[in-house]
Amino acid sequence: LADARLPPDENVLALGEALQRLEHEDPELQEVVDRMFFGGQTAAEAAADLGVSSRTVERRWRFARAWLHEALGGGEERI
């Protein structure tokens, strides 16, 4: 997710700002990011905690990753 064009400190700041925007726009997506990226949970674990299906978590995870990639100025490369 990091932009190689920015220094590491600016990457962290940009990611933090993007995560705040995501939380404001869609708290459910942010919750999935928190659990899977920062918490290390699997889709099944996150689904059980959130009371949704694994497929729902996987769908939200894919969408959140794409949203963050776009928010961070991502191009064509795969996340």
Side-chain angles (χ1 to χ4, degrees), residues 33-52:
V33 171
D34 284 346
R35 290 174 180 280
M36 294 188 67
F37 185 77
F38 296 107
Q41 288 187 330
T42 65
E45 291 167 335
D49 287 349
L50 297 170
V52 298

Side-chain angles (χ1 to χ4, degrees), residues 7-57:
D9 290 344
E10 290 182 34
N11 278 329
V12 172
L13 293 175
L15 178 58
E17 291 169 1
L19 289 169
Q20 287 178 342
R21 288 195 318 268
L22 179 62
E23 183 176 26
H24 177 73
E25 290 185 26
D26 196 326
E28 291 175 341
L29 293 179
Q30 175 60 33
E31 186 66 28
V32 169
V33 171
D34 284 346
R35 290 174 180 280
M36 294 188 67
F37 185 77
F38 296 107
Q41 288 187 330
T42 65
E45 291 167 335
D49 287 349
L50 297 170
V52 298
S53 70
S54 291
R55 286 190 60 121
T56 296
V57 168

